[in-house]
Amino acid sequence: AQRVTQPEKLLSVFKGAPVELKCNYSYSGSPELFWYVQYSRQRLQLLLRHISRESIKGFTADLNKGETSFHLKKPFAQEEDSAMYYCALNNAGNMLTFGGGTRLMVKP
Amino acid sequence: GAVVSQHPSWVICKSGTSVKIECRSLDFQATTMFWYRQFPKQSLMLMATSNEGSKATYEQGVEKDKFLINHASLTLSTLTVTSAHPEDSSFYICSARDTSGNYEQYFGPGTRLTVT
């Protein structure tokens, strides 16, 4: 069975500090991983996916198959980054399994 | 970008009644839509996969007779909560997969259901 774990429910940092939101997964096949973000009172939206290897809003995430991790990183957090972040795994049936989510709070 | 709408955004109903929630893909076609449930301060839990023109696929533990799903067209899926009970109160979110593009899932804004 597939599983996505986000060990931190809340992560609080100061503006300008580095941020790392942790995500670990378990999946027997070849994983396709995503990070979704939900800003206050807005819908869930895709932030980035591992296959595109792109940087969105300064965030990057690298898939580490050895550690079965897909941590989200940003070198300098901004206040507007405050949101709920969900790591998700796409299985062969194109269904998403979500982690529990991490609330990021960036303090001024 | 692709937009998914849900209607209503908020509904209050009495125990024992049924409530229908609509999910529409506004500018793309979606042969597959997904229904999620989100409890306060918790993550999204997949309830079922809605397939256009065929029966929905329900996740383990989800009662298909209670949560009726109909995907009658390439742009509309409906979720009907039958004989609602207070424990059905939750935030219901749908997503639609753009099958003509990169198969990305686009999420609706959610529907908050309160059963009194």
Side-chain angles (χ1 to χ4, degrees), chain A residues 6 9 36 38 42-46 49 84 86 90 93-101, chain B residues 3-5 34 36 38 42-44 46 49 59 91 93 97 102-105 107-109:
Chain A
Q6 294 179 246
K9 286 191 177 298
Y36 284 84
Q38 188 171 30
Q42 294 188 29
R43 69 186 68 195
L44 203 65
Q45 57 186 286
L46 178 66
R49 62 178 77 193
M84 279 294 296
Y86 294 96
N90 192 25
N94 277 306
M95 292 189 296
L96 288 172
T97 298
F98 285 88
Chain B
V3 178
V4 174
S5 70
F34 302 90
Y36 298 85
Q38 186 177 33
Q42 293 190 28
S43 187
L44 288 78
L46 180 65
T49 303
E59 294 302 297
F91 198 55
I93 301 172
R97 194 168 73 200
N102 58 10
Y103 285 80
E104 182 174 332
Q105 282 192 37
F107 286 81

Short mmCIF file of all heavy atoms in Angstrom, two decimals, chain A residues 6 9 36 38 42-46 49 84 86 90 93-101, chain B residues 3-5 34 36 38 42-44 46 49 59 91 93 97 102-105 107-109:
data_model
loop_
_atom_site.label_atom_id
_atom_site.label_comp_id
_atom_site.label_asym_id
_atom_site.label_seq_id
_atom_site.Cartn_x
_atom_site.Cartn_y
_atom_site.Cartn_z
N GLN A 6 4.03 13.30 6.33
CA GLN A 6 4.61 14.60 6.60
C GLN A 6 4.71 14.72 8.11
O GLN A 6 3.69 14.88 8.79
CB GLN A 6 3.72 15.71 6.02
CG GLN A 6 3.67 15.69 4.50
CD GLN A 6 2.77 16.78 3.95
OE1 GLN A 6 1.73 16.49 3.35
NE2 GLN A 6 3.16 18.03 4.13
N LYS A 9 3.31 18.88 11.63
CA LYS A 9 2.01 19.50 11.36
C LYS A 9 2.16 21.01 11.23
O LYS A 9 1.40 21.67 10.53
CB LYS A 9 1.03 19.17 12.48
CG LYS A 9 0.52 17.74 12.46
CD LYS A 9 -0.63 17.55 13.42
CE LYS A 9 -1.20 16.15 13.35
NZ LYS A 9 -1.74 15.85 12.01
N TYR A 36 1.47 20.20 -3.20
CA TYR A 36 0.34 21.09 -3.38
C TYR A 36 0.35 22.12 -2.25
O TYR A 36 0.80 21.85 -1.14
CB TYR A 36 -0.99 20.32 -3.33
CG TYR A 36 -1.29 19.55 -4.60
CD1 TYR A 36 -0.76 18.27 -4.79
CD2 TYR A 36 -2.11 20.09 -5.58
CE1 TYR A 36 -1.04 17.56 -5.96
CE2 TYR A 36 -2.39 19.38 -6.74
CZ TYR A 36 -1.84 18.13 -6.92
OH TYR A 36 -2.12 17.43 -8.07
N GLN A 38 -2.09 25.22 -0.26
CA GLN A 38 -3.41 25.79 -0.06
C GLN A 38 -3.26 27.04 0.79
O GLN A 38 -3.00 26.96 1.99
CB GLN A 38 -4.33 24.77 0.62
CG GLN A 38 -5.77 25.21 0.71
CD GLN A 38 -6.68 24.09 1.20
OE1 GLN A 38 -6.28 23.22 1.95
NE2 GLN A 38 -7.93 24.11 0.75
N GLN A 42 -8.31 29.67 -0.01
CA GLN A 42 -8.20 29.38 -1.44
C GLN A 42 -8.19 27.87 -1.66
O GLN A 42 -8.04 27.10 -0.72
CB GLN A 42 -6.92 30.00 -2.00
CG GLN A 42 -6.91 31.52 -1.99
CD GLN A 42 -5.72 32.09 -2.73
OE1 GLN A 42 -5.20 31.47 -3.66
NE2 GLN A 42 -5.28 33.27 -2.34
N ARG A 43 -8.37 27.49 -2.88
CA ARG A 43 -8.40 26.08 -3.19
C ARG A 43 -6.99 25.51 -3.27
O ARG A 43 -6.01 26.23 -3.36
CB ARG A 43 -9.11 25.85 -4.53
CG ARG A 43 -8.34 26.36 -5.75
CD ARG A 43 -9.18 26.23 -7.00
NE ARG A 43 -10.31 27.13 -6.97
CZ ARG A 43 -11.36 27.03 -7.78
NH1 ARG A 43 -11.42 26.05 -8.66
NH2 ARG A 43 -12.34 27.89 -7.71
N LEU A 44 -6.94 24.20 -3.23
CA LEU A 44 -5.67 23.50 -3.36
C LEU A 44 -5.12 23.71 -4.77
O LEU A 44 -5.86 23.65 -5.75
CB LEU A 44 -5.93 22.01 -3.11
CG LEU A 44 -4.79 21.13 -2.67
CD1 LEU A 44 -4.31 21.54 -1.29
CD2 LEU A 44 -5.24 19.69 -2.65
N GLN A 45 -3.84 23.97 -4.86
CA GLN A 45 -3.24 24.15 -6.18
C GLN A 45 -1.87 23.50 -6.22
O GLN A 45 -1.17 23.41 -5.21
CB GLN A 45 -3.15 25.63 -6.55
CG GLN A 45 -2.38 26.49 -5.56
CD GLN A 45 -2.45 27.96 -5.92
OE1 GLN A 45 -1.81 28.40 -6.86
NE2 GLN A 45 -3.24 28.71 -5.18
N LEU A 46 -1.53 23.06 -7.41
CA LEU A 46 -0.25 22.38 -7.59
C LEU A 46 0.90 23.37 -7.46
O LEU A 46 0.87 24.45 -8.06
CB LEU A 46 -0.21 21.72 -8.97
CG LEU A 46 1.07 21.00 -9.35
CD1 LEU A 46 1.27 19.78 -8.45
CD2 LEU A 46 1.02 20.56 -10.81
N ARG A 49 5.99 19.43 -9.26
CA ARG A 49 6.01 17.97 -9.40
C ARG A 49 7.45 17.54 -9.66
O ARG A 49 8.23 18.28 -10.25
CB ARG A 49 5.12 17.52 -10.54
CG ARG A 49 5.53 18.05 -11.91
CD ARG A 49 4.63 17.52 -12.99
NE ARG A 49 3.35 18.21 -13.01
CZ ARG A 49 2.30 17.78 -13.69
NH1 ARG A 49 2.35 16.65 -14.36
NH2 ARG A 49 1.18 18.47 -13.67
N MET A 84 -0.86 26.04 3.92
CA MET A 84 -0.80 24.59 4.16
C MET A 84 -0.14 23.94 2.96
O MET A 84 -0.48 24.25 1.81
CB MET A 84 -2.20 24.01 4.32
CG MET A 84 -2.80 24.18 5.69
SD MET A 84 -1.96 23.26 6.97
CE MET A 84 -2.24 21.57 6.47
N TYR A 86 0.85 20.27 1.14
CA TYR A 86 0.56 18.84 1.12
C TYR A 86 1.48 18.15 0.11
O TYR A 86 1.59 18.57 -1.04
CB TYR A 86 -0.88 18.57 0.70
CG TYR A 86 -1.92 19.05 1.68
CD1 TYR A 86 -2.55 20.28 1.52
CD2 TYR A 86 -2.30 18.27 2.76
CE1 TYR A 86 -3.51 20.71 2.41
CE2 TYR A 86 -3.26 18.69 3.66
CZ TYR A 86 -3.86 19.91 3.48
OH TYR A 86 -4.81 20.34 4.36
N ASN A 90 1.26 10.03 -6.68
CA ASN A 90 0.37 9.59 -7.74
C ASN A 90 0.68 8.13 -8.06
O ASN A 90 1.81 7.81 -8.41
CB ASN A 90 0.57 10.46 -8.98
CG ASN A 90 -0.51 10.27 -10.00
OD1 ASN A 90 -1.62 9.88 -9.68
ND2 ASN A 90 -0.19 10.56 -11.25
N GLY A 93 -2.69 4.23 -11.08
CA GLY A 93 -4.07 4.51 -11.48
C GLY A 93 -4.38 5.98 -11.51
O GLY A 93 -5.54 6.38 -11.63
N ASN A 94 -3.35 6.82 -11.39
CA ASN A 94 -3.51 8.27 -11.40
C ASN A 94 -4.37 8.77 -10.26
O ASN A 94 -5.12 9.74 -10.42
CB ASN A 94 -4.06 8.76 -12.74
CG ASN A 94 -2.96 8.91 -13.76
OD1 ASN A 94 -1.97 9.59 -13.52
ND2 ASN A 94 -3.11 8.25 -14.87
N MET A 95 -4.30 8.10 -9.14
CA MET A 95 -4.99 8.58 -7.94
C MET A 95 -3.95 9.15 -6.99
O MET A 95 -2.85 8.61 -6.84
CB MET A 95 -5.73 7.44 -7.27
CG MET A 95 -6.91 6.93 -8.08
SD MET A 95 -7.91 5.78 -7.15
CE MET A 95 -6.75 4.45 -6.93
N LEU A 96 -4.32 10.25 -6.37
CA LEU A 96 -3.40 10.92 -5.45
C LEU A 96 -3.64 10.47 -4.01
O LEU A 96 -4.77 10.43 -3.55
CB LEU A 96 -3.60 12.44 -5.53
CG LEU A 96 -3.10 13.14 -6.79
CD1 LEU A 96 -3.55 14.60 -6.78
CD2 LEU A 96 -1.59 13.06 -6.88
N THR A 97 -2.55 10.17 -3.35
CA THR A 97 -2.58 9.94 -1.91
C THR A 97 -1.87 11.10 -1.26
O THR A 97 -0.71 11.39 -1.58
CB THR A 97 -1.88 8.62 -1.55
OG1 THR A 97 -2.57 7.53 -2.17
CG2 THR A 97 -1.88 8.41 -0.05
N PHE A 98 -2.54 11.76 -0.33
CA PHE A 98 -1.99 12.96 0.29
C PHE A 98 -1.36 12.66 1.65
O PHE A 98 -1.83 11.78 2.39
CB PHE A 98 -3.09 14.00 0.50
CG PHE A 98 -3.52 14.69 -0.76
CD1 PHE A 98 -4.52 14.15 -1.55
CD2 PHE A 98 -2.92 15.87 -1.16
CE1 PHE A 98 -4.91 14.78 -2.72
CE2 PHE A 98 -3.30 16.51 -2.33
CZ PHE A 98 -4.30 15.96 -3.11
N GLY A 99 -0.33 13.40 1.96
CA GLY A 99 0.19 13.39 3.31
C GLY A 99 -0.73 14.21 4.21
O GLY A 99 -1.69 14.81 3.75
N GLY A 100 -0.42 14.23 5.48
CA GLY A 100 -1.26 14.91 6.44
C GLY A 100 -1.20 16.42 6.38
O GLY A 100 -2.04 17.11 6.97
N GLY A 101 -0.24 16.95 5.66
CA GLY A 101 -0.13 18.39 5.53
C GLY A 101 0.76 19.03 6.58
O GLY A 101 0.85 18.53 7.72
N VAL B 3 -10.06 25.49 -14.67
CA VAL B 3 -10.84 25.85 -13.50
C VAL B 3 -11.89 24.79 -13.22
O VAL B 3 -12.54 24.29 -14.13
CB VAL B 3 -11.54 27.21 -13.69
CG1 VAL B 3 -12.40 27.54 -12.47
CG2 VAL B 3 -10.52 28.31 -13.92
N VAL B 4 -12.02 24.46 -11.95
CA VAL B 4 -13.03 23.53 -11.50
C VAL B 4 -13.93 24.26 -10.50
O VAL B 4 -13.42 24.91 -9.57
CB VAL B 4 -12.40 22.30 -10.83
CG1 VAL B 4 -13.47 21.39 -10.23
CG2 VAL B 4 -11.57 21.53 -11.85
N SER B 5 -15.22 24.17 -10.71
CA SER B 5 -16.15 24.83 -9.80
C SER B 5 -16.94 23.79 -9.03
O SER B 5 -17.11 22.65 -9.48
CB SER B 5 -17.10 25.76 -10.56
OG SER B 5 -18.01 24.98 -11.34
N PHE B 34 -12.43 13.23 -9.13
CA PHE B 34 -12.20 12.60 -7.83
C PHE B 34 -12.95 13.37 -6.75
O PHE B 34 -13.05 14.59 -6.80
CB PHE B 34 -10.71 12.59 -7.49
CG PHE B 34 -9.85 11.89 -8.50
CD1 PHE B 34 -9.31 12.59 -9.57
CD2 PHE B 34 -9.59 10.53 -8.39
CE1 PHE B 34 -8.52 11.95 -10.51
CE2 PHE B 34 -8.80 9.88 -9.33
CZ PHE B 34 -8.26 10.59 -10.40
N TYR B 36 -13.04 14.04 -2.64
CA TYR B 36 -12.28 13.94 -1.40
C TYR B 36 -13.13 14.48 -0.25
O TYR B 36 -14.04 15.30 -0.43
CB TYR B 36 -10.99 14.77 -1.47
CG TYR B 36 -10.00 14.35 -2.52
CD1 TYR B 36 -10.10 14.80 -3.83
CD2 TYR B 36 -8.94 13.51 -2.20
CE1 TYR B 36 -9.19 14.43 -4.80
CE2 TYR B 36 -8.01 13.13 -3.16
CZ TYR B 36 -8.14 13.61 -4.45
OH TYR B 36 -7.21 13.23 -5.40
N GLN B 38 -12.48 16.23 3.64
CA GLN B 38 -11.47 16.82 4.50
C GLN B 38 -12.10 17.23 5.81
O GLN B 38 -12.99 18.08 5.85
CB GLN B 38 -10.82 18.03 3.82
CG GLN B 38 -9.66 18.61 4.59
CD GLN B 38 -9.00 19.77 3.83
OE1 GLN B 38 -9.67 20.52 3.12
NE2 GLN B 38 -7.70 19.92 4.00
N GLN B 42 -7.33 18.40 9.04
CA GLN B 42 -6.80 17.13 8.57
C GLN B 42 -6.60 17.17 7.06
O GLN B 42 -6.99 18.13 6.39
CB GLN B 42 -7.76 15.99 8.94
CG GLN B 42 -7.85 15.75 10.43
CD GLN B 42 -8.61 14.48 10.75
OE1 GLN B 42 -8.62 13.53 9.96
NE2 GLN B 42 -9.24 14.45 11.90
N SER B 43 -5.97 16.14 6.56
CA SER B 43 -5.66 16.10 5.14
C SER B 43 -6.87 15.63 4.32
O SER B 43 -7.91 15.30 4.86
CB SER B 43 -4.48 15.16 4.92
OG SER B 43 -4.06 15.22 3.58
N LEU B 44 -6.69 15.63 3.02
CA LEU B 44 -7.74 15.15 2.13
C LEU B 44 -7.71 13.63 2.07
O LEU B 44 -6.65 13.02 1.93
CB LEU B 44 -7.53 15.69 0.71
CG LEU B 44 -7.80 17.15 0.46
CD1 LEU B 44 -6.65 18.01 0.95
CD2 LEU B 44 -8.04 17.41 -1.02
N LEU B 46 -9.27 10.52 -0.11
CA LEU B 46 -9.99 10.17 -1.33
C LEU B 46 -11.18 9.29 -0.99
O LEU B 46 -11.04 8.28 -0.30
CB LEU B 46 -9.06 9.44 -2.30
CG LEU B 46 -9.68 9.00 -3.62
CD1 LEU B 46 -10.09 10.21 -4.45
CD2 LEU B 46 -8.69 8.13 -4.40
N THR B 49 -13.45 7.63 -7.08
CA THR B 49 -13.07 8.09 -8.40
C THR B 49 -14.29 8.02 -9.30
O THR B 49 -14.92 6.96 -9.41
CB THR B 49 -11.94 7.21 -8.97
OG1 THR B 49 -10.83 7.23 -8.06
CG2 THR B 49 -11.50 7.71 -10.33
N GLU B 59 -13.37 4.06 -2.49
CA GLU B 59 -12.28 3.63 -1.62
C GLU B 59 -12.85 2.77 -0.49
O GLU B 59 -14.04 2.84 -0.16
CB GLU B 59 -11.54 4.84 -1.06
CG GLU B 59 -10.81 5.65 -2.12
CD GLU B 59 -9.80 4.84 -2.89
OE1 GLU B 59 -8.83 4.35 -2.26
OE2 GLU B 59 -9.98 4.70 -4.11
N PHE B 91 -15.98 18.87 4.85
CA PHE B 91 -15.65 19.67 3.68
C PHE B 91 -15.41 18.68 2.54
O PHE B 91 -14.55 17.80 2.65
CB PHE B 91 -14.39 20.49 3.98
CG PHE B 91 -14.16 21.65 3.07
CD1 PHE B 91 -15.13 22.63 2.90
CD2 PHE B 91 -12.96 21.80 2.40
CE1 PHE B 91 -14.92 23.72 2.08
CE2 PHE B 91 -12.74 22.88 1.56
CZ PHE B 91 -13.72 23.84 1.40
N ILE B 93 -14.35 18.04 -1.34
CA ILE B 93 -13.59 18.67 -2.41
C ILE B 93 -13.53 17.74 -3.61
O ILE B 93 -13.32 16.54 -3.45
CB ILE B 93 -12.13 18.97 -1.95
CG1 ILE B 93 -12.15 19.90 -0.73
CG2 ILE B 93 -11.32 19.57 -3.08
CD1 ILE B 93 -10.77 20.08 -0.10
N ARG B 97 -9.42 15.70 -13.67
CA ARG B 97 -8.17 15.45 -14.38
C ARG B 97 -8.32 15.81 -15.84
O ARG B 97 -9.23 15.34 -16.51
CB ARG B 97 -7.76 13.98 -14.22
CG ARG B 97 -6.34 13.69 -14.63
CD ARG B 97 -5.94 12.32 -14.16
NE ARG B 97 -6.58 11.29 -14.95
CZ ARG B 97 -6.73 10.03 -14.53
NH1 ARG B 97 -6.29 9.67 -13.36
NH2 ARG B 97 -7.31 9.14 -15.30
N ASN B 102 -1.86 17.32 -19.63
CA ASN B 102 -0.82 16.60 -18.91
C ASN B 102 -1.36 15.76 -17.76
O ASN B 102 -0.61 15.36 -16.89
CB ASN B 102 0.21 17.59 -18.37
CG ASN B 102 -0.44 18.61 -17.46
OD1 ASN B 102 -1.59 18.49 -17.09
ND2 ASN B 102 0.32 19.64 -17.10
N TYR B 103 -2.65 15.49 -17.79
CA TYR B 103 -3.28 14.66 -16.76
C TYR B 103 -3.17 15.27 -15.37
O TYR B 103 -3.30 14.56 -14.38
CB TYR B 103 -2.71 13.24 -16.77
CG TYR B 103 -3.22 12.42 -17.93
CD1 TYR B 103 -2.66 12.57 -19.19
CD2 TYR B 103 -4.25 11.51 -17.77
CE1 TYR B 103 -3.13 11.83 -20.26
CE2 TYR B 103 -4.73 10.77 -18.84
CZ TYR B 103 -4.16 10.94 -20.09
OH TYR B 103 -4.63 10.21 -21.14
N GLU B 104 -2.95 16.55 -15.31
CA GLU B 104 -2.89 17.20 -13.99
C GLU B 104 -4.27 17.27 -13.38
O GLU B 104 -5.27 17.40 -14.07
CB GLU B 104 -2.34 18.61 -14.15
CG GLU B 104 -2.18 19.36 -12.83
CD GLU B 104 -1.51 20.70 -13.01
OE1 GLU B 104 -0.72 20.82 -13.97
OE2 GLU B 104 -1.77 21.60 -12.21
N GLN B 105 -4.34 17.15 -12.07
CA GLN B 105 -5.60 17.28 -11.35
C GLN B 105 -5.78 18.72 -10.92
O GLN B 105 -4.88 19.33 -10.33
CB GLN B 105 -5.62 16.38 -10.11
CG GLN B 105 -5.87 14.92 -10.41
CD GLN B 105 -6.18 14.14 -9.15
OE1 GLN B 105 -6.84 14.62 -8.23
NE2 GLN B 105 -5.68 12.91 -9.09
N PHE B 107 -8.27 21.27 -8.68
CA PHE B 107 -9.17 21.13 -7.54
C PHE B 107 -10.25 22.21 -7.52
O PHE B 107 -10.01 23.36 -7.89
CB PHE B 107 -8.38 21.18 -6.24
CG PHE B 107 -7.60 19.91 -5.99
CD1 PHE B 107 -6.38 19.70 -6.61
CD2 PHE B 107 -8.12 18.92 -5.15
CE1 PHE B 107 -5.68 18.51 -6.40
CE2 PHE B 107 -7.43 17.75 -4.94
CZ PHE B 107 -6.22 17.54 -5.56
N GLY B 108 -11.43 21.79 -7.08
CA GLY B 108 -12.48 22.75 -6.84
C GLY B 108 -12.28 23.44 -5.51
O GLY B 108 -11.43 23.04 -4.71
N PRO B 109 -13.07 24.45 -5.22
CA PRO B 109 -12.93 25.22 -3.99
C PRO B 109 -13.49 24.53 -2.76
O PRO B 109 -13.26 24.98 -1.64
CB PRO B 109 -13.70 26.51 -4.28
CG PRO B 109 -14.73 26.09 -5.27
CD PRO B 109 -14.09 25.02 -6.11
#
